[in-house]
């Protein structure tokens, strides 16, 4: 079901957390709300669920206006960060709870619970208590409980934050598989760009209560609209150089760096600019030479990560395949791939 | 388990310190089953005669009626305290009530009052309501005096229940009341149980309130009964019988403590689950 948020404003006491936000989640897609803590992503999620009320604006589930409805009447499934399973009920009772509240027939409940348990691979755990389950299993139960009454939308609040690294990888693909199999519209709140990029159809990056950019993961990575977006996506992160515009080129005078601003002409000389260079676009190959010294080297097995300090003190990150190793303190003359860099104005807007 | 200090000095110290108490209780127990000749410390015969009051009402009067009254008194007080605390504690912990802070501090202040200081006001209210000299009146007063404690304790237990569990229940389509009854209440069961025990024991041992608020009524609780038995001017005065009645009176409390001591300690853990 398509979910649309229109002109949504939310204030807590005197602080406006979200101001006039518009967002449409397409039917059957999985959308990530990505942003640093305090950016309003969880507020948005809990507004869709009905836990928070909108101060202004409209929330539509399909053609139905649900802005004024309490949580109970919205038909929304939520998976909380700490799973929020009911500790005194076993797994079956946990999953069945939404159905027993609705007073479904006992045979129907049994059938539905077993079907959803099969989908989430927890059929053999139905008699256990939440306390006897591992984190990943609890996560599956929470998913099953959220999905069992076929909600209009599934909301996931940092669902992987409490899992250890290996389980996180497994559950990432599991959640995506279950979402695709049920075809449900889903919203994922996370501060982890890897989760957002790997699990979702589209990402909405939020900052201070506003959606900065909404795009598919690939588009957002290769075409960020602001320096904030560019800095948020990618691991290791992008590095920025400060400079000025000079004769249709980005220029850092002290180190004689000149990167031509190909598509953008007519920027006044002397304008302050920022150049964003992703680690994979700086290395031995490229077209614009930069000299520097290896200030930090980290082995990651398949790849090595280097910080290269330039003569003026700024640092460029680089990621290189293992094999040809540079040592700490080596002086290198590497190149920036000028076609893949991003140029931003001083306040972070992409040129 | 490794020990980084010897335990025996502590055990020795505790033994010495608790010895007087232990000896007192031992003699209480021994004296109820034996006779000791005057001038002697040690008993010289075993007898059950001091326990005859259980079957023979002529010795000290019928004991079963006061026992039943005391049980009723303690049990109804327990029911009132538990049901009011369970609901009020939840409301104070979770609902956005007007004057919530004021109510909370008010409860705290009331908890600080010794009940004796309120007795004149309570007397006036009971007199006005026509409940003076009645068992119901005393139960209501005793229960309401315990409520601040109970509500405060239950609020602590509710505070420890994660917010998400409650929201999950609401999201699953249940009303706030259903969520409270089916999800939240089971989480605070340890608190309810220990509060119930405390209320029962408190009611069982109450002496002053029935004495003051129902002095001439026709019901009698065990503490008042014990007082009659211990009256040195009464013709039935017998120190060993007094001890036996006292022991009989304490037995249910002792039994509850032995059975539920872990639960009772739970209440001071601030609501973490034991």
């Amino acid at each position: 079901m398509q979910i649309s948020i229109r002109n949504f404003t939310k204030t807590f006491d005197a602080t406006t957390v979200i101001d006039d936000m518009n967002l449409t989640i397409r039917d059957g897609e999985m959308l990530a709300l990505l942003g640093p803590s305090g950016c309003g992503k969880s507020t948005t999620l809990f507004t869709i669920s009905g836990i928070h009320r909108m101060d202004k604006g409209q929330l539509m589930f399909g053609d139905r206006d649900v802005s004024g409805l309490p949580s109970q009447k919205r038909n929304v499934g939520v998976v909380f960060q700490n799973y929020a399973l009911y500790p005194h009920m076993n797994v079956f009772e946990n999953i069945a709870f939404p159905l027993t509240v609705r007073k479904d027939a006992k045979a129907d409940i049994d059938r539905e619970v077993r079907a959803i348990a099969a989908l989430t691979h927890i059929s053999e755990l139905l008699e256990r208590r939440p306390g006897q389950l591992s984190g990943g299993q609890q996560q599956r139960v929470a998913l099953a409980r959220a999905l069992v009454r076929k909600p209009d939308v599934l909301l996931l609040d940092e669902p992987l934050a409490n899992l250890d690294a290996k389980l996180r990888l497994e559950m990432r693909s599991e959640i995506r598989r279950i979402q695709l199999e049920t075809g449900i519209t889903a919203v994922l709140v996370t501060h982890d760009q890897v989760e957002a990029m790997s699990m979702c159809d589209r990402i909405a990056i939020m900052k201070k209560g506003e959606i900065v950019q909404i795009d598919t993961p690939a588009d957002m990575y290769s075409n960020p609209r602001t320096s904030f977006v560019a800095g948020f996506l990618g691991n290791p992160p992008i590095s920025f150089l400060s400079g000025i515009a000079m004769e249709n080129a980005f220029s850092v005078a002290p180190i004689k760096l000149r990167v031509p601003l190909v598509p953008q002409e007519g920027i006044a000389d002397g304008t302050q600019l920022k150049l964003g260079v992703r680690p994979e676009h700086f290395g031995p190959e490229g077209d614009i030479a930069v000299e520097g010294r290896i200030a930090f080297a980290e082995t990651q097995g398949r790849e090595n990560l280097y910080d290269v300090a330039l003569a003026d003190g700024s640092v460029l990150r680089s990621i290189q395949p293992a094999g040809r190793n540079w040592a700490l303190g080596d002086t290198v003359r590497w190149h920036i791939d000028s076609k893949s860099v991003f140029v931003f104005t001083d306040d972070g807007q992409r040129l | 388990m490794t020990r980084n200090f010897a335990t025996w000095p502590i055990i020795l110290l505790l033994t010495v310190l608790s010895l007087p108490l232990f000896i007192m209780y031992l003699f209480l127990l021994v004296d109820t089953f034996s006779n000791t000749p005057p001038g002697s410390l040690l008993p010289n015969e075993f007898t059950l005669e001091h326990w005859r009051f259980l079957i023979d009402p002529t010795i000290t009067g019928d004991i079963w009626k006061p026992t039943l009254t005391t049980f009723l008194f303690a049990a109804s007080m327990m029911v009132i305290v538990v049901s009011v605390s369970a609901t009020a504690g939840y409301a104070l912990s979770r609902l956005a009530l007007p004057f919530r802070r004021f109510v909370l501090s008010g409860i705290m202040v009331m908890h600080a009052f010794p009940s004796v200081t309120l007795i004149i006001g309570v007397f006036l209210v009971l007199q006005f309501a026509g409940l003076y000299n009645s068992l119901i009146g005393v139960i209501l007063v005793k229960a309401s005096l315990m409520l601040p404690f109970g509500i405060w304790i239950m609020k602590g237990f509710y505070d420890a229940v994660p917010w998400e569990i409650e929201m999950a229940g609401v999201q699953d389509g249940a009303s706030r009341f259903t969520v409270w009854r089916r999800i939240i209440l089971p989480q605070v069961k340890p608190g309810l149980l220990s509060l119930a025990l405390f209320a029962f024991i408190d009611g069982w041992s109450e002496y002053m309130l029935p004495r003051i608020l129902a002095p001439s009524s026709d019901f009698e609780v065990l503490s008042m009964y014990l007082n009659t038995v211990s009256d040195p001017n009464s013709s039935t005065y017998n120190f060993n019988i007094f001890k036996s009645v006292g022991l009989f009176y304490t037995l249910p409390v002792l039994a509850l403590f032995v059975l539920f001591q872990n639960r009772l300690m739970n209440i001071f853990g601030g609501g973490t689950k034991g």
Side-chain angles (χ1 to χ4, degrees):
Chain A
M1 187 168 292
Q2 173 173 308
I3 313 291
S4 25
I5 300 173
R6 295 177 190 159
N7 309 106
F8 164 41
T9 299
K10 177 75 193 173
T11 44
F12 287 117
D13 297 327
T15 16
T16 302
V17 184
I18 286 169
D19 193 16
D20 200 26
M21 181 172 118
N22 285 286
L23 173 67
T24 302
I25 303 148
R26 295 175 196 144
D27 184 25
E29 89 170 333
M30 184 148 175
L31 178 98
L33 291 174
L34 177 66
S37 38
C39 71
K41 55 191 193 299
S42 289
T43 308
T44 309
L45 189 87
F46 288 132
T47 302
I48 300 176
S49 83
I51 292 173
H52 292 324
R53 293 297 170 87
M54 289 176 145
D55 291 318
K56 248 183 251 148
Q58 221 184 3
L59 177 63
M60 307 287 291
F61 283 13
D63 300 328
R64 199 160 67 108
D65 184 351
V66 297
S67 318
L69 289 183
S71 303
Q72 289 96 334
K73 294 191 178 149
R74 284 198 187 180
N75 199 21
V76 168
V78 183
V79 175
F80 291 88
Q81 179 173 348
N82 59 6
Y83 321 133
L85 300 178
Y86 312 132
H88 59 294
M89 300 179 185
N90 67 23
V91 170
F92 183 93
E93 292 164 330
N94 260 284
I95 302 174
F97 185 78
L99 304 179
T100 56
V101 164
R102 212 166 57 182
K103 298 199 168 58
D104 283 9
K106 222 169 167 216
D108 291 344
I109 293 179
D110 195 71
R111 199 184 55 239
E112 296 285 332
V113 170
R114 287 184 197 286
I116 205 83
L119 175 73
T120 49
H121 300 332
I122 47 172
S123 297
E124 70 286 357
L125 304 174
L126 289 177
E127 304 303 319
R128 301 247 197 111
R129 299 256 164 167
Q132 302 165 307
L133 300 179
S134 70
Q137 292 168 330
Q138 292 191 28
Q139 174 82 76
R140 288 169 190 270
V141 177
L143 262 171
R145 187 182 64 188
L147 289 170
V148 72
R149 58 179 186 151
K150 307 202 165 44
D152 295 335
V153 56
L154 174 70
L155 306 177
L156 304 144
D157 181 26
E158 307 247 4
L160 305 176
N162 287 8
L163 296 175
D164 56 49
K166 194 158 167 278
L167 264 177
R168 199 174 295 186
L169 216 65
E170 176 193 327
M171 285 314 291
R172 216 157 72 187
S173 46
E174 273 298 279
I175 292 177
R176 180 61 165 165
R177 172 185 69 83
I178 292 163
Q179 187 262 334
L180 288 174
E181 263 178 52
T182 49
I184 191 172
T185 312
V187 181
L188 169 84
V189 158
T190 179
H191 60 259
D192 184 344
Q193 47 104 9
V194 180
E195 274 172 33
M197 292 184 70
S198 58
M199 290 166 74
C200 295
D201 298 306
R202 286 196 304 160
I203 300 177
I205 285 207
M206 292 185 70
K207 184 191 183 185
K208 290 182 186 148
E210 277 176 34
I211 294 179
V212 188
Q213 185 171 352
I214 176 161
D215 245 322
T216 62
D219 282 349
M220 194 170 278
Y221 187 78
S222 57
N223 195 11
R225 207 171 291 161
T226 69
S227 61
F228 174 79
V229 175
F232 213 92
L233 293 190
N235 183 29
I238 196 168
S239 30
F240 292 103
L241 294 177
S242 298
I244 51 170
M246 189 65 71
E247 293 160 0
N248 282 329
F250 170 88
S251 151
V252 187
I255 54 170
K256 300 195 181 65
L257 175 72
R258 239 183 129 265
V259 181
L261 301 173
V262 184
Q264 295 92 3
E265 306 245 319
I267 297 164
D269 284 0
T271 314
Q272 288 285 337
L273 294 175
K274 277 199 286 185
L275 184 76
V277 184
R278 293 219 186 264
E280 62 268 32
H281 299 139
F282 175 61
E285 273 116 66
D287 51 352
I288 294 173
V290 187
E291 196 152 303
R293 194 177 47 80
I294 306 266
F296 175 78
E298 184 182 301
T299 312
Q300 289 184 338
R302 189 158 27 103
E303 285 139 352
N304 292 337
L305 179 61
Y306 301 101
D307 280 8
V308 178
L310 310 184
D312 65 341
S314 48
V315 172
L316 282 177
R317 265 181 289 268
S318 172
I319 190 157
Q320 296 301 327
R324 222 190 124 184
N325 294 335
W326 286 270
L328 201 65
D330 285 2
T331 305
V332 290
R333 188 175 166 82
W334 281 355
H335 300 82
I336 294 172
D337 179 6
S338 70
K339 287 181 293 300
S340 313
V341 297
F342 309 124
V343 184
F344 303 98
T345 61
D346 202 33
D347 60 358
Q349 294 302 313
R350 175 93 180 274
L351 278 181
Chain B
M1 194 174 108
T2 57
R3 295 210 183 121
N4 39 17
F5 58 87
T7 45
W8 66 264
I10 296 175
I11 292 176
L12 186 71
L13 184 74
L14 288 177
T15 312
V16 170
L17 284 179
S18 47
L19 209 57
L21 264 175
F22 179 73
I23 291 175
M24 266 165 51
Y25 278 113
L26 183 72
F27 268 90
L28 175 71
L29 185 67
V30 169
D31 282 353
T32 60
F33 288 108
S34 61
N35 278 324
T36 309
S40 165
L41 261 181
L42 296 174
N44 63 349
E45 60 166 346
F46 174 82
T47 170
L48 284 174
E49 66 176 285
H50 311 309
W51 286 95
R52 271 179 48 225
F53 68 91
L54 288 178
I55 45 168
D56 186 355
T58 55
I59 300 176
T60 54
D62 181 18
I63 191 162
W64 294 109
K65 197 159 168 276
T67 308
L68 185 68
T69 316
T70 314
F71 182 81
L72 272 179
F73 177 82
S76 21
M77 178 188 153
M78 179 180 89
V79 169
I80 295 175
V81 168
V82 168
S83 48
V84 175
S85 302
T87 42
Y90 178 77
L92 285 173
S93 170
R94 287 298 156 89
L95 304 182
L97 298 173
F99 309 116
R100 186 170 161 273
R101 289 196 67 83
F102 177 78
V103 173
L104 273 178
S105 45
I107 289 175
M108 214 43 183
V109 170
M110 274 164 62
H111 187 31
F113 264 96
S115 53
V116 202
T117 55
L118 301 169
I119 215 76
I120 296 176
V122 167
F123 171 78
L124 287 175
V125 172
L126 280 192
Q127 186 76 300
F128 181 76
L131 290 172
Y132 181 66
N133 246 344
S134 73
L135 185 59
I136 294 177
V138 184
I139 289 173
L140 286 178
V141 171
K142 180 67 190 158
S144 45
L145 285 174
M146 192 167 180
L147 276 181
F149 171 75
I151 293 173
W152 198 262
I153 290 284
M154 284 321 295
K155 180 191 171 290
F157 274 88
Y158 282 121
D159 284 348
V161 177
W163 171 88
E164 284 88 352
I165 289 193
E166 189 159 357
M167 282 308 128
V170 170
Q171 251 3 293
D172 284 344
S175 67
R176 280 308 278 270
F177 181 77
T178 311
V179 169
W180 174 72
R181 193 175 55 83
R182 288 187 53 185
I183 297 175
I184 307 297
L185 216 49
Q187 312 304 318
V188 298
K189 226 160 68 185
L192 284 178
L193 189 71
S194 42
L195 181 63
L197 282 170
F198 262 100
F200 187 86
I201 290 171
D202 202 22
W204 185 266
S205 55
E206 184 60 34
Y207 168 67
M208 202 166 56
L209 285 179
R211 185 93 183 143
I212 299 174
L213 298 176
S216 54
S217 63
D218 50 358
F219 75 87
E220 197 179 32
V221 291
L222 271 180
S223 53
M224 293 160 81
Y225 178 86
L226 186 64
N227 191 48
T228 346
V229 176
S230 69
D231 182 5
N233 297 326
S234 118
S235 55
T236 58
Y237 182 61
N238 173 323
F239 205 69
N240 280 358
I241 288 185
F242 171 57
K243 283 180 183 169
S244 305
V245 175
L247 192 61
F248 173 76
Y249 176 42
T250 331
L251 277 180
V253 178
L254 283 179
L256 285 178
F257 259 111
V258 169
L259 282 174
F260 294 106
Q261 50 179 329
N262 292 335
R263 304 278 192 178
L264 286 172
M265 289 302 114
N266 203 350
I267 210 166
F268 299 111
T272 47
K273 296 213 307 168

